[in-house]
Amino acid sequence: MMKKLIIAMLCVCFLLPCSAALAKEVPLPEANTDAEILLPGFEWYCDYEALIRAAEENGLPTDLGSKTDMIGLGASISPHWNIYRNDSAYVSTSEKNCGGSIFFDHTDLELFGYHVDQCMMHIFVEPDFEISQHKESRAARLYLAEFWIHAENAAEIYEDLLAKLKAQYGENPMEDEAGVCWINGEGAMLGASLKKVVGALNYSHVRITMMAPGAEEQLNAVTEERRAGEENGDRATLEALANKFADAYFAGRPDVIAGMLTDPYSYPRDLFYARQASNFRLKGLEHVANKEEIGTTRTIEAEFVNPQTKDSFIYLCMEFIKESNSPDGWKVAFFGIDA
């Protein structure tokens, strides 16, 4: 089972670089079934806690050794409808900070009459919430699920499953070398595909993918708002301000620095390393949310090489405070050197 977990993780990692290269989502095709597409045992768009409760009730182990939360800042997996294909090049995008995935290993789940041994549930996070708040009831939304059936006779299982699905969802799915797919008028999707692993038949598998009604449209809306937030949010604002302040510090520009400080500012304004360094690297931005509350303080450091010894780093510490939501609402409440 551990080998399967590793393989699944590698598949996920493989998706990321391929999907990032395809910035434009693939449009949802026309409906080809009238059947309702439900996720047995789960409710579409449930929050994180409800998802975990349903997982436990349906034979998905939620202990730390069997469940892996792949939901984190800057590393989220948010696939679109065409994830049902085995070929990762068909994944249109993997949206940063839009959501993520929960991987369940060695499950005890039955689906369409077959034992499913692994599954992955995908959520998106509402734009008003940070990715770290995905467990909040209004933040997380289950919208897509993938299931794996590993077996030596995966090809036989796939053919039998295909016959069952055609009887239930219609004889004319979208079909190509990658798999089959049904989409109904509500925008819900059901896909199936076969992956044959040459020389390791135990790792050959059938994959079933299901997506909630209207999920593609909602994910695209979240994506658009997230991207706008990345460009115009507090994290981007602080990055620009920290760069401006550090540039002014190393250039010896007290006039620029004075305009960026809180009023009053009661600390020394010494520029100890003015004109002694110019190259620096910002640290600490990963702790800044896109939407910070007024009164929040965040410390950003500009790391630069000690100009005397050349063998160690020194840090220009900049403590910012958000005084208002205006474009110039962030001010430097304190700055100084930390060796």
Side-chain angles (χ1 to χ4, degrees), residues 18 93 160 285:
C18 297
T93 186
D160 184 57
L285 287 167

Side-chain angles (χ1 to χ4, degrees), residues 12 31 42 50 59 65 98 119 264 329:
V12 170
F42 295 84
C98 288
C119 84

Side-chain angles (χ1 to χ4, degrees), residues 225-259:
E225 291 195 45
R226 285 287 185 192
R227 286 175 177 166
E230 289 288 330
E231 294 174 359
N232 305 311
D234 284 315
R235 189 180 301 118
T237 297
L238 274 191
E239 182 177 10
L241 288 175
N243 274 311
K244 179 180 178 180
F245 191 93
D247 281 336
Y249 178 92
F250 293 120
R253 293 289 306 276
D255 55 326
V256 175
I257 288 176

Side-chain angles (χ1 to χ4, degrees), residues 26-304:
V26 177
L28 193 69
E30 296 292 327
N32 58 10
T33 182
D34 295 325
E36 188 174 17
I37 296 175
L38 301 173
L39 182 59
F42 295 84
E43 180 181 350
W44 288 127
Y45 301 117
C46 66
D47 61 63
Y48 181 90
E49 299 298 340
L51 189 161
I52 297 302
R53 287 196 301 270
E56 293 171 343
E57 293 170 359
N58 287 278
L60 276 63
T62 57
D63 58 280
L64 293 179
S66 302
K67 176 178 72 72
T68 305
D69 281 19
M70 292 180 284
I71 306 169
L73 188 65
S76 301
I77 304 163
S78 305
H80 290 261
W81 68 271
N82 55 346
I83 185 67
Y84 83 90
R85 302 170 185 264
N86 267 309
D87 187 345
S88 64
Y90 285 100
V91 181
S92 59
T93 186
S94 189
E95 319 295 4
K96 181 180 178 183
N97 295 333
C98 288
S101 305
I102 308 160
F103 177 77
F104 300 91
D105 196 16
H106 53 80
T107 71
D108 188 22
L109 179 69
E110 294 293 322
L111 189 63
F112 297 110
Y114 299 101
H115 173 72
V116 173
D117 55 305
Q118 292 178 322
C119 84
M120 187 176 292
M121 301 290 187
H122 299 276
I123 68 172
F124 64 72
V125 178
E126 297 286 358
D128 289 341
F129 291 82
E130 287 302 312
I131 196 74
S132 60
Q133 297 173 293
H134 69 270
K135 295 183 181 181
E136 295 282 348
S137 61
R138 298 185 306 279
R141 292 287 182 267
L142 169 65
Y143 76 99
L144 191 146
E146 299 177 79
F147 305 92
W148 288 272
I149 304 168
H150 291 86
E152 290 187 15
N153 63 333
E156 296 176 20
I157 292 175
Y158 179 72
E159 292 301 322
D160 184 57
L161 174 66
L162 188 56
K164 290 182 179 180
L165 295 178
K166 285 185 176 181
Q168 185 171 349
Y169 296 98
E171 294 288 336
N172 299 301
M174 290 177 53
E175 187 169 5
D176 57 24
E177 69 282 356
V180 296
C181 176
W182 288 266
I183 295 173
N184 66 20
E186 296 180 323
M189 181 275 293
L190 169 65
S193 57
L194 170 67
K195 181 67 173 180
K196 288 193 251 186
V197 181
V198 178
L201 293 179
N202 284 328
Y203 294 126
S204 295
H205 61 267
V206 175
R207 184 170 65 160
I208 303 169
T209 309
M210 307 178 79
M211 189 179 77
E216 181 71 13
E217 181 179 345
Q218 293 194 51
L219 178 59
N220 288 341
V222 170
T223 300
E224 185 175 346
E225 291 195 45
R226 285 287 185 192
R227 286 175 177 166
E230 289 288 330
E231 294 174 359
N232 305 311
D234 284 315
R235 189 180 301 118
T237 297
L238 274 191
E239 182 177 10
L241 288 175
N243 274 311
K244 179 180 178 180
F245 191 93
D247 281 336
Y249 178 92
F250 293 120
R253 293 289 306 276
D255 55 326
V256 175
I257 288 176
M260 300 179 69
L261 301 177
T262 55
D263 186 15
Y265 184 83
S266 56
Y267 300 100
R269 305 186 187 190
D270 301 312
L271 307 184
F272 291 112
Y273 288 91
R275 305 190 185 281
Q276 294 189 51
S278 57
N279 296 322
F280 58 88
R281 181 177 64 174
L282 295 181
K283 305 184 72 174
L285 287 167
E286 67 275 11
H287 302 302
V288 181
N290 275 330
K291 290 185 178 180
E292 295 282 16
E293 298 291 332
I294 293 175
T296 297
T297 60
R298 291 286 182 243
T299 299
I300 310 298
E301 296 179 324
E303 179 186 74
F304 62 102

Side-chain angles (χ1 to χ4, degrees), residues 303-322:
E303 179 186 74
F304 62 102
V305 175
N306 187 324
Q308 278 74 50
T309 66
K310 309 291 186 182
D311 61 357
S312 61
F313 289 111
I314 299 178
Y315 301 88
L316 168 62
C317 297
M318 299 164 279
E319 182 183 281
F320 290 88
I321 183 169
K322 186 173 183 178

